[in-house]
Amino acid sequence: MFDRDPKTPARKLAVHCLRAGIDAASPETAVRRHCRLAGDTLHIRGEEYDLDTFDHILVLGGGKAADDLAAGLEAVLGDRIDSGVVVTDELTADPERVTVRTGGHPTPDEDSVTSAEAVLQAAETADDRTLVLAAITGGGSALLCAPADGLSLDALQRVTDHLLDAGAPIEDVNTVRRACSDIKGGGLAVAAAPAPVVGMLVSDVVGDDPSVIASGPTVPAAVDPEVALAVLEQYGVNAPEIVAWLEAADYEPAPTLTVDNHVIASGRDAIDAAIGVAREADYEPCLLSTRIEGEASEAGRFHAAVATEALESGNPVSPPAVLLSGGETTVTVTGDGTGGPNLEWALAAGLGAPDRTVFAAVDTDGSDGSTDAAGAIVDAGTVGEGDEEAARRALDDNDSYPFLDARDALLRTGPTGTNVNDLRVVILGQIGR
C-alpha cells in the first residue's frame, strides 16, 4: 500500500497504524462486518430485508469508494444483483454486475454530469418490486453532479472551487451543492420511487450525518435557498450565476419518502484499528478526538503541543504512547503552491516537533488535496536547523508538498478503495528502540 518501508521502529509503527486504519475502513471489509445473507433474508446492521418480496435488486450510487462498495455487495449477494451503475474517480474494483463510470473530483466535470444522468435514468426504471441498494461514499458530491434546471456545470465548478479555496468545511460546501442539484438531498431516492431504497454509506464527514455524506442522495431534505446564500456570503464567494438562481428559487420542503440508511464504515473504524496496533506494540493509545476540524496548520501545531506536554508531564498520556485523532481539517488558500490539509498538518507539526516523536497523517482515500501523496510523516529532524523560515514560507504559500518531498517525508499509496476521515498518528517515546 505505501510506496516505501520506513527505516526506524517508530516510523514503522506509525505507518503500521495508518495501514491498519485504511484496511479496516475498506468497503469490502465493512460489508463483511455488517451484512450477511441467510437464505432469502439480507441482514444489514440488525435490519432484515426479505429478498423474496423483490423481483430485482439494483445497485446505484457514487463516491470515491463506490466501486469497492459495489464489489463488496456482489460478494454477499452474487447473482441476486441484477444490474446497477456507480460513479467513482479512479477505478479500484471491478464488479461484474454493476457498471462503473468515472467523473471528476473534487471539482465536477462533464463526466460527473453524464454519469449522474446514467444513475438517475437507472433509478427511474425501478418499481415497487425493486430493491435499490444505494452505494454512497465520500466524494459523491462532485462525482454525482446533476445541476438543477437553469444552472450550468461551469457555475457549479467555480462555486465549488471558491468554497474549497476559502476553507469552507464540507458541510457548508454541501449545503450549496444540495440546493443546486437534482440528485442530492434525496434526489436519487425520489427518482427510484416507489422502489424501497436502502443506503449503504461510507462516511468521510465528521459526525457521520447521512445528509452530509455525498450531500445525501438518499436523505430527503428541504431545499432552502436562503441558507445556501448565507453560506456564500459567509465565505465571500463571488458566484453571480449561482446567487441569481438561488435568489429566484423557492423553498422546497423535504420529499415524503422513507429510506433506510446504514453507515457501514467511518473514520472511527480506522482509528479503532490503529488503537489495536498501538496496543499490540505495547504503546499506550490515547484518542484525542475523532472530530478535529479547522485550519490544518493550526491542528498540526496543536498536536505538537500535546506531544510536548505528554513528554514533559505525562499528560494526557505517559510515553511510550500513540496519540490518535480523526476528522477533516481544511486549508484557506492564500498562496499558489501545491499541498493539502494533511501535508500542511504534518509540516506545521514538524515545526514544533519535540525529540522522540514521529507525526504521520493521511487522507484515507490516498490523495491529499489534489496531490499524488496520501499524506506525510515527519519528526524533529524534518525541519532542520536553518529550515524553519523556509517551512513557514511554505505554509504561507500553501506549498507544503515540495518542502516535504525534498525531505523524503511524503507518503504515497495510490487510490486505496476507501474514503473516510483523515487519520493522524503521533508516536511518543522509545524512538531509538
Side-chain angles (χ1 to χ4, degrees):
M1 178 186 294
F2 287 90
D3 60 340
R4 59 195 172 90
D5 188 26
K7 302 302 182 185
T8 70
R11 283 175 171 251
K12 287 182 179 179
L13 177 58
V15 170
H16 191 186
C17 288
L18 296 176
R19 182 181 291 114
I22 292 171
D23 288 345
S26 79
E28 293 194 59
T29 299
V31 169
R32 289 195 302 270
R33 187 164 55 233
H34 295 298
C35 305
R36 65 184 178 89
L37 184 63
D40 293 317
T41 302
L42 176 62
H43 298 260
I44 306 175
R45 294 190 66 97
E47 296 293 327
E48 297 182 358
Y49 302 92
D50 182 0
L51 301 187
D52 268 346
T53 62
F54 302 105
D55 296 328
H56 304 283
I57 297 178
L58 194 58
V59 176
L60 302 173
K64 285 189 170 186
D67 51 340
D68 285 79
L69 184 47
L73 291 169
E74 276 194 0
V76 172
L77 292 166
D79 60 8
R80 288 176 181 265
I81 294 175
D82 292 280
S83 63
V85 183
V86 298
V87 188
T88 190
D89 59 337
E90 295 191 58
L91 300 175
T92 55
D94 187 22
E96 294 181 5
R97 307 183 71 82
V98 178
T99 299
V100 180
R101 301 177 62 111
T102 58
H105 186 278
T107 303
D109 61 12
E110 290 286 353
D111 288 337
S112 303
V113 175
T114 57
S115 294
E117 289 174 352
V119 170
L120 288 173
Q121 287 170 4
E124 289 167 356
T125 68
D127 58 24
D128 59 1
R129 296 282 297 178
T130 304
L131 175 63
V132 174
L133 297 177
I136 305 298
T137 80
S141 289
L143 294 166
L144 292 170
C145 182
D149 188 37
L151 282 177
S152 68
L153 171 62
D154 180 65
L156 292 180
Q157 289 172 326
R158 283 185 280 110
V159 78
T160 299
D161 288 341
H162 289 329
L163 285 166
L164 293 174
D165 286 349
I170 195 64
E171 293 90 342
D172 289 344
V173 178
N174 286 357
T175 293
V176 176
R177 286 166 158 171
R178 197 159 40 236
C180 299
S181 172
D182 286 337
I183 198 169
K184 299 170 176 60
L188 175 56
V190 170
V197 176
V198 178
M200 308 288 288
L201 313 182
V202 175
S203 172
D204 68 334
V205 302
V206 173
D208 303 331
D209 183 347
S211 70
V212 181
I213 302 166
S215 301
T218 60
V219 183
V223 175
D224 192 338
E226 292 299 324
V227 174
L229 286 166
V231 170
L232 297 178
E233 183 177 358
Q234 178 182 351
Y235 294 99
V237 172
N238 180 25
E241 182 180 337
I242 298 290
V243 168
W245 188 89
L246 289 170
E247 288 177 340
D250 295 324
Y251 174 89
E252 295 180 16
T256 304
L257 291 171
T258 299
V259 181
D260 289 347
N261 283 302
H262 304 281
V263 177
I264 62 168
S266 71
R268 185 58 197 244
D269 294 307
I271 284 180
D272 286 345
I275 286 173
V277 169
R279 287 190 173 132
E280 288 175 6
D282 294 324
Y283 278 62
E284 182 66 25
C286 177
L287 173 57
L288 297 179
S289 175
T290 61
R291 296 169 176 264
I292 301 291
E293 297 182 275
E295 283 292 324
S297 58
E298 293 176 5
R301 286 187 280 270
F302 166 74
H303 282 72
V306 174
T308 301
E309 184 68 35
L311 289 168
E312 293 182 354
S313 72
N315 291 307
V317 66
S318 295
V322 178
L323 304 175
L324 299 122
S325 73
E328 290 285 315
T329 59
T330 53
V331 173
T332 301
V333 178
T334 56
D336 59 359
T338 302
N342 288 285
L343 302 187
E344 291 216 359
W345 178 91
L347 182 51
L351 269 166
D355 291 336
R356 301 168 56 229
T357 59
V358 169
F359 295 76
V362 293
D363 189 321
T364 50
D365 67 18
S367 177
D368 191 42
S370 297
T371 74
D372 66 349
I377 184 166
V378 302
D379 57 27
T382 302
V383 182
E385 255 186 75
D387 281 346
E388 294 92 343
E389 185 57 35
R392 292 188 181 94
R393 280 200 308 273
L395 287 172
D396 288 342
D397 294 339
N398 305 120
D399 204 26
S400 52
Y401 182 102
F403 184 98
L404 294 167
D405 193 23
R407 289 151 182 84
D408 196 29
L410 296 179
L411 292 172
R412 294 183 175 90
T413 63
T416 64
T418 191
N419 187 22
V420 295
N421 287 162
D422 296 338
L423 178 59
R424 294 175 284 270
V425 176
V426 182
I427 311 298
L428 305 175
Q430 293 195 355
I431 297 302
R433 298 188 182 182

